[in-house]
Amino acid sequence: MNLTRAQKFQWYLEKGLAEGVHALPDPSVAGARNLVAALTARFEVLRTSIDHIDGEPRQVLHDTGDPLRVIDLDTPDELRPRMAALAEEFRLEQQGRPGALLARFFLLRTADSGWLGMVADNVAVDAAFHRVIEQETSRILGEPAGPDVLGGAEGIQPLAAAALEAGTRGTRDRERAAEMLRCHFATAPPRMHRRRPPGATAEGRYYRRVLEIPDADRLFAQLLAAGDTLPSALVLAAFTQLMCVRSDQDDCTVNVSMDNRHNRELRLTLCATAQRVPVTLSGAGRTLRAHAADVQRVLVDGYPVYGRYDPLDLIAERDGAQRRRGMCLTPDLAFNFVPPPQGWTSLLTGATRPLPVQDGTITGSTTGEVSYEYAASLSMRWADARAGRISIHGDSEALPPGDAAALLRGIELMLVRWADGRDSEPERIAGETGLSAPQRPGTAIRAGGRWIDVDPISRMLCERNDVVSAEVRTDPGDEARLIAYVMAAPGTNPRPDDLHAALLPAVGTGSLLVIPDRYEITDRTENACPSPPNLSSLPRRSTVSGPTAS
């Protein structure tokens, strides 16, 4: 059977992992094996692999899952680092490999305690479905499980979910979502940072910075009590405003992770359902209160269409718009918000402690990765029912770790002030926390509400044999558009379509954020690349226009 749309998203685009542990009343191997057998019998995706059949990835259901592995620990303090190591092992050995099972279970035990650990590909398990598995684990163990996430229903197994998506209603949902993507990519701004591929080594380039908030439940309870803005919208608004202030640009696009379990049958689907949705947000020149209201409206207006797209539609719409508009539309910012494990209602009634005044602790480390697709990905997760973590997974060449720490401190400050009934201006918050703007090269120009370094465009044009020199400027009649003034090599006749086509691959990779809208070609050849021609003295041979923005 085909993959569901959310599974396709994880298989083709996101490639994330889920992990978790559950304390066991019986740390015996037999007890853990019985628990895993019950879970894999209940949830087919825990014994599923993805195989390539006739050139397409397909779900393949197996009779059993991976055998339980037993890991002996000396002390409980080893639990978290050992799980991190097991997750990395899974990523290297199992994730994304055709034929490999999508989940692996572990019994981690000391002399008198035990935990069931799970690592799973997000093709199988995302944060929302992990809560379903946790609830079923508690039920099997006879523990209090809280309100039934599935509402007493049996749920829909992944194979059946894929069949529903291929039906009439599923096709209609896909068409509506594709139209929303089409509208988004027609007007979305380019990505915020150029993509710079790793060099000979990427050691230390990618990192995480984590803001630990011991009383996050109390903070978020006060955020809810302070108004009708959702905490997720507040965190996303603060993140995007501070990133726009740092880059001195008017707007940005963020890949927002959508928990789709509010959507009809998706609430009952027994596998991952979340997908990231590209959302454009304009945060410049406004307070947090005004921006957060717009963020919430954008998110709410997209339901229930958000998250119902087919990832192949997203790729097609994005790539087509990139060619038409001449700009890279792959977001390099991402956002993920996991609700509190006890639910918002219980959080509001249970968080009665005074809100502490001390700052949360920021910790950090490098990840050891050799690549990462985002410049900065912000996540809100919970360590338990009280403590929360806001973290940034980043690329130091786009957002240095020190700036990531200042960004986290700025978000914390904006949230605390909101809980206290005060608004925030992002420019002032950036100044208070030391969030500094990166130094702009002298070849950067302002166009379309952002700074663009035009030197890489000129240099790439000059690599052609039929171009002697090139200069890129804003269009005198429209500051949002760029013109390339190009001097042709002797005996050549470069066409604007040729120049446009030569630059487009760099847009696709993200090494160029935008390329010129027009090309004006002249005959003089005295100057050498990359020095610009003296345009006022050049005889004009032709004025031509390249493909225009849609």
Side-chain angles (χ1 to χ4, degrees):
M1 176 59 71
N2 291 332
L3 277 63
T4 68
R5 291 169 194 158
Q7 288 177 319
K8 284 184 190 177
F9 172 79
Q10 292 294 338
W11 186 257
Y12 287 116
L13 299 176
E14 193 71 7
K15 306 181 188 302
L17 285 179
E19 59 180 281
V21 294
H22 193 107
L24 297 175
D26 174 14
S28 70
V29 174
R33 283 178 177 158
N34 289 337
L35 175 58
V36 171
L39 289 172
T40 54
R42 174 74 175 94
F43 303 117
E44 292 180 358
V45 77
L46 300 180
R47 47 189 171 93
T48 294
S49 64
I50 306 298
D51 291 17
H52 283 285
I53 300 174
D54 297 329
E56 296 287 337
R58 304 292 178 95
Q59 299 184 67
V60 177
L61 182 61
H62 301 266
D63 293 335
T64 60
D66 258 351
L68 177 74
R69 284 180 56 187
V70 179
I71 308 292
D72 289 315
L73 308 175
D74 292 329
T75 69
D77 292 340
E78 297 177 27
L79 178 62
R80 182 179 291 185
R82 194 58 184 271
M83 277 300 301
L86 292 170
E88 178 64 12
E89 177 186 292
F90 183 92
R91 184 183 69 81
L92 294 173
E93 297 180 359
Q94 201 155 335
Q95 186 184 23
R97 296 180 181 271
L101 288 162
L102 298 174
R104 182 181 288 177
F105 286 95
F106 308 90
L107 170 61
L108 300 102
R109 62 183 184 179
T110 60
D112 54 4
S113 300
W115 300 265
L116 181 69
M118 181 189 72
V119 180
D121 194 310
N122 280 162
V123 171
V125 180
D126 58 10
F129 182 54
H130 189 269
R131 291 197 294 273
V132 177
I133 295 175
E134 272 289 292
Q135 189 169 69
E136 180 67 10
T137 302
S138 296
R139 189 194 66 77
I140 294 171
L141 295 174
E143 302 169 347
D148 186 0
V149 177
L150 300 177
E154 280 297 308
I156 303 171
Q157 299 288 358
L159 296 177
L164 285 172
E165 290 184 347
T168 301
R169 192 168 85 179
T171 300
R172 186 169 60 248
D173 286 343
R174 174 179 176 174
E175 291 170 351
R176 291 177 60 206
E179 178 60 27
M180 178 170 282
L181 291 172
R182 194 171 300 118
C183 293
H184 164 79
F185 287 120
T187 58
R191 65 185 282 136
M192 185 172 281
H193 307 89
R194 288 177 58 212
R195 178 178 284 143
R196 295 174 173 86
T201 176
E203 184 177 356
R205 174 172 169 177
Y206 306 103
Y207 65 88
R208 281 189 176 86
R209 287 293 179 271
V210 181
L211 171 66
E212 304 277 358
I213 308 177
D215 291 278
D217 62 332
R218 182 58 184 154
L219 173 60
F220 280 86
Q222 288 198 207
L223 293 177
L224 283 168
D228 57 0
T229 305
L230 296 172
S232 55
L234 280 173
V235 177
L236 177 55
F239 172 50
T240 52
Q241 276 197 308
L242 291 174
M243 287 299 294
C244 284
V245 166
R246 177 182 181 271
S247 298
D248 190 14
Q249 65 183 55
D250 295 344
D251 51 15
C252 63
T253 297
V254 186
N255 259 354
V256 178
S257 181
M258 294 290 178
D259 179 356
N260 290 315
R261 293 195 173 266
H262 60 280
N263 280 347
R264 298 189 298 273
E265 74 277 359
L266 287 183
R267 184 173 63 255
L268 305 179
T269 303
L270 301 181
C271 68
T273 62
Q275 292 176 250
R276 290 197 188 273
V277 179
V279 177
T280 296
L281 301 171
S282 300
R286 297 189 296 171
T287 66
L288 176 64
R289 187 171 302 278
H291 183 47
D294 276 356
V295 169
Q296 180 157 303
R297 176 186 53 77
V298 168
L299 298 182
V300 170
D301 285 352
Y303 292 133
V305 180
Y306 278 158
R308 301 296 280 141
Y309 66 85
D310 189 294
L312 299 183
D313 294 339
L314 180 144
I315 293 170
E317 295 295 342
R318 182 195 65 203
D319 291 354
Q322 285 184 159
R323 289 192 298 272
R324 291 190 301 272
R325 301 180 63 200
M327 61 178 61
C328 180
L329 299 174
T330 303
D332 63 343
L333 302 180
F335 177 73
N336 183 58
F337 189 97
V338 177
Q342 68 270 41
W344 290 114
T345 301
S346 296
L347 179 141
L348 273 171
T349 58
T352 57
R353 305 177 311 282
L355 183 64
V357 296
Q358 72 269 19
D359 294 334
T361 302
I362 294 179
T363 59
S365 62
T366 57
T367 63
E369 296 164 300
V370 297
S371 66
Y372 185 58
E373 64 180 303
Y374 294 113
S377 176
L378 186 86
S379 297
M380 171 66 206
R381 302 182 186 277
W382 296 81
D384 52 43
R386 288 181 57 173
R389 302 188 185 102
I390 302 178
S391 65
I392 291 177
H393 186 182
D395 179 350
S396 59
E397 293 196 6
L399 182 72
D403 284 353
L407 179 65
L408 288 171
R409 193 64 76 196
I411 293 171
E412 178 189 35
L413 187 56
M414 295 171 89
L415 295 179
V416 169
R417 289 184 179 178
W418 183 283
D420 194 37
R422 293 180 289 163
D423 203 356
S424 299
E425 296 179 3
E427 294 82 4
R428 290 190 177 183
I429 295 294
E432 290 182 42
T433 60
L435 179 62
S436 58
Q439 185 174 0
R440 286 192 296 271
T443 51
I445 62 176
R446 185 85 176 167
R450 69 200 66 251
W451 289 94
I452 299 170
D453 183 9
V454 296
D455 182 64
I457 305 173
S458 300
R459 290 184 178 275
M460 195 167 293
L461 286 171
C462 288
E463 291 174 358
R464 293 176 56 87
N465 293 330
D466 54 1
V467 173
V468 173
S469 65
E471 181 186 27
V472 179
R473 298 181 181 179
T474 54
D475 188 330
D478 183 356
E479 68 87 25
R481 294 164 61 86
L482 298 178
I483 299 179
Y485 298 93
V486 177
M487 274 200 296
T492 66
N493 185 28
R495 300 180 306 161
D497 286 349
D498 296 334
L499 302 179
H500 187 79
L503 296 177
L504 271 177
V507 168
T509 62
S511 56
L512 290 182
L513 299 181
V514 298
I515 59 178
D517 301 280
R518 294 176 53 209
Y519 301 83
E520 190 166 295
I521 303 173
T522 54
D523 286 326
R524 290 283 295 276
T525 61
E526 289 88 345
N527 295 317
C529 286
S531 301
N534 182 355
L535 297 173
S536 62
S537 64
L538 291 178
R540 182 173 297 171
R541 183 177 72 192
S542 61
T543 301
V544 293
S545 295
T548 58
S550 58

